[in-house]
Amino acid sequence: MSTPTAEPTTEPAPPADSTPSVYRLPFPPGFTERGSCPFDPPPLLRDHHDEGEVRQIALTDGGTGWLVTGYEESRKLLTDPRLSSDRLRNPLVVKLPEELRAQLMADEAVAGNFIALDPPDHTRYRRLLTREFTLRRVRGLEPRILEIVTERIDAMLAGGNSADLVKDFALAVPSLVICELLGVAYEERGEFQARTEELLNLDIPFEKQLAALDELRKFILGQVRRKRATPTDDMLSGLIHSDTEPALTDEEVVGMANLLLVGGHETTANMLSLGTFALLEHPEQLGALRARPELMDGAVEELLRYLSIVHHGLLRTTTEDVEVGGRTIPAESLVIISVSEANRDPRHYDAPAALDVSRPRRTHLAFGHGIHQCIGQQLARSEMTIAFPELLRRLPGLRLAVPAHEVPLREKMAVYGLHSLPVTWDAPGT
């Protein structure tokens, strides 16, 4: 459930007398574009292993960055305090025109946005949420998660024997769960889902992304003000009325809730749909899960490793020179940690390009590592370990309703996955 932060996209600076309107992702062309297999990392990443697990790459804005694809190298850097998550230090932000940079540096944009902060600010915000996502607390939520999954499958069955698994199930389940946790009415989901779609779209003007973020903040601020006046039994009210010193401001609560709301439905939703797609395209693995349901916990970990929906990587900035993988990364450098490649590192995994639901469990980086490791990972795991078995049990003969190559991929989004997944299953009596 970790929320990737869509960083500003840039292209070569326009003439001084013009106003830039579009900022393209500065990664090389093809950096996030999939090849013939929608589940494999982009070919651009896969085809350069001979250059090493840490290598310098040219960006399309004329600058350079450092790409890290090795598992051990990635883990090392994600725990190195010399790598900053502060987006205001990010070279991509530094290069922005002053007006846009000022919007990202405004107090309301920074407050509570703990995944884009370093300690001690990051520590303060994260500590307030840790108790909400303990394994024990999540276990207590599992009966309600099962109810939500059951309700959504009931609704699909009531509609016949076909559905769009993204809209009708994968997006609905985690959205309902996070809405109930935060205390946001599920009926208002259209508001935040539409804004989130724009916020994570890497192929639209950066100004439009900022406008979507501003609208999302306004939506959450309305929720915060209502709960400040009339608290209810939910996480948002708990943050507002906590006894922390100093007390959280409305802007801080909005920033924290924004991360939870976006991360709580976007990431898990795409894992559910992309994971189902992967299983349908690997019928031997799907058959193994049907025959041995006890494999499900390990299968979820394998899907997390195999799919790695944070496909553009985790961005950091070095605060001083850092040596890793036999290379020296200079201070103030952009570092791109490729989760998808690290999770396919042949030095760490046997046959890493294969999906194997019976693979012995090994650690992976799907939820990150270090102090920024996804705070909602246990909730995401629970949602998946409940949802996948119920789908397979209650939708006999589940299969694609269109050829696999027609399934639309989210290549231009900060969170990889599917825009839709048309499926069908055996009707009763067939």
Side-chain angles (χ1 to χ4, degrees):
M1 204 177 77
S2 177
T3 314
T5 304
E7 294 293 346
T9 55
T10 62
E11 61 183 6
D17 59 350
S18 71
T19 302
S21 58
V22 177
Y23 298 87
R24 298 278 178 207
L25 198 68
F27 303 153
F31 192 90
T32 60
E33 295 175 8
R34 302 283 160 151
S36 58
C37 178
F39 314 118
D40 288 344
L44 183 70
L45 295 178
R46 300 198 317 268
D47 295 345
H48 294 278
H49 275 298
D50 57 340
E51 299 174 16
E53 284 73 30
V54 179
R55 59 187 183 270
Q56 194 172 30
I57 61 171
L59 306 178
T60 55
D61 66 352
T64 58
W66 289 82
L67 179 66
V68 182
T69 57
Y71 177 84
E72 292 299 338
E73 291 82 0
S74 296
R75 278 176 61 94
K76 180 179 180 180
L77 290 176
L78 289 172
T79 57
D80 193 321
R82 296 172 296 175
L83 269 74
S84 172
S85 294
D86 186 348
R87 71 178 178 190
L88 303 186
R89 300 190 66 148
N90 190 309
L92 304 183
V93 176
V94 172
K95 292 179 182 179
L96 285 175
E98 183 176 352
E99 181 180 350
L100 295 179
R101 189 168 66 250
Q103 291 183 55
L104 283 177
M105 296 174 67
D107 290 345
E108 64 270 19
V110 174
N113 187 13
F114 59 92
I115 68 169
L117 296 173
D118 295 327
D121 294 323
H122 168 269
T123 309
R124 173 181 171 241
Y125 292 129
R126 186 177 173 107
R127 186 178 292 131
L128 293 172
L129 294 170
T130 301
R131 63 178 179 269
E132 303 291 343
F133 292 101
T134 62
L135 182 58
R136 179 179 178 182
R137 182 69 64 92
V138 170
R139 288 285 186 256
L141 295 172
E142 289 183 347
R144 178 55 184 145
I145 295 173
L146 178 58
E147 288 180 0
I148 290 172
V149 167
T150 300
E151 290 165 2
R152 296 315 308 167
I153 295 178
D154 286 346
M156 288 195 296
L157 290 170
N161 70 320
S162 64
D164 174 2
L165 201 73
V166 172
K167 177 176 66 72
D168 298 327
F169 184 79
L171 185 58
V173 169
S175 295
L176 274 162
V177 172
I178 199 63
C179 280
E180 290 193 8
L181 280 176
L182 287 174
V184 175
Y186 181 64
E187 292 72 24
E188 297 182 271
R189 68 192 181 280
E191 176 72 19
F192 68 78
Q193 286 177 353
R195 303 307 178 194
T196 298
E197 188 78 8
E198 292 182 327
L199 179 62
L200 299 180
N201 189 337
L202 302 178
D203 204 35
I204 66 173
F206 185 40
E207 295 92 337
K208 191 172 182 180
Q209 287 180 306
L210 287 178
L213 180 59
D214 186 56
E215 290 299 317
L216 189 57
R217 285 200 200 101
K218 290 177 182 177
F219 168 75
I220 298 175
L221 181 59
Q223 307 284 325
V224 169
R225 287 175 173 169
R226 284 197 293 271
K227 292 179 185 299
R228 192 173 288 282
T230 309
T232 51
D233 184 19
D234 54 62
M235 193 184 301
L236 199 52
S237 295
L239 288 172
I240 294 167
H241 297 279
S242 68
D243 56 3
T244 182
E245 292 292 342
L248 293 172
T249 65
D250 282 357
E251 289 76 16
E252 289 175 311
V253 177
V254 167
M256 297 171 74
N258 184 18
L259 292 177
L260 295 174
L261 191 60
V262 175
H265 78 275
E266 271 288 337
T267 51
T268 308
N270 283 288
M271 272 304 306
L272 286 172
S273 58
L274 190 61
T276 302
F277 185 25
L279 290 173
L280 294 178
E281 287 298 284
H282 293 81
E284 74 289 351
Q285 300 301 310
L286 182 62
L289 280 180
R290 289 187 185 279
R292 299 176 59 195
E294 69 274 11
L295 292 176
M296 184 55 68
D297 284 356
V300 166
E301 299 303 315
E302 172 68 350
L303 287 168
L304 286 163
R305 179 202 70 83
Y306 180 70
L307 298 172
S308 299
I309 59 174
V310 186
H311 65 147
H312 68 293
L314 303 174
L315 305 185
R316 299 289 189 269
T317 306
T318 52
T319 60
E320 56 185 90
D321 291 359
V322 176
E323 292 187 12
V324 62
R327 306 297 297 272
T328 298
I329 303 178
E332 305 305 327
S333 294
L334 174 69
V335 179
I336 307 161
I337 298 173
S338 176
V339 173
S340 59
E341 277 296 287
N343 280 343
R344 299 284 188 100
D345 189 339
R347 301 173 304 167
H348 188 70
Y349 305 99
D350 294 329
L355 174 64
D356 181 2
V357 296
S358 61
R359 183 187 299 273
R361 292 180 68 165
R362 299 205 67 181
T363 56
H364 56 72
L365 298 180
F367 293 114
H369 184 60
I371 63 171
H372 286 281
Q373 192 171 35
C374 175
I375 197 169
Q377 61 181 287
Q378 299 302 341
L379 179 61
R381 284 187 171 101
S382 287
E383 290 175 317
M384 287 185 280
T385 53
I386 291 171
F388 284 129
E390 289 300 295
L391 279 176
L392 301 184
R393 182 179 69 85
R394 299 194 58 200
L395 303 180
L398 182 65
R399 57 194 179 273
L400 294 178
V402 297
H405 69 270
E406 293 183 10
V407 174
L409 309 177
R410 291 166 50 105
E411 291 181 318
K412 301 297 185 180
M413 305 295 289
V415 179
Y416 183 61
L418 309 175
H419 288 292
S420 66
L421 183 64
V423 296
T424 187
W425 54 89
D426 295 340
T430 60

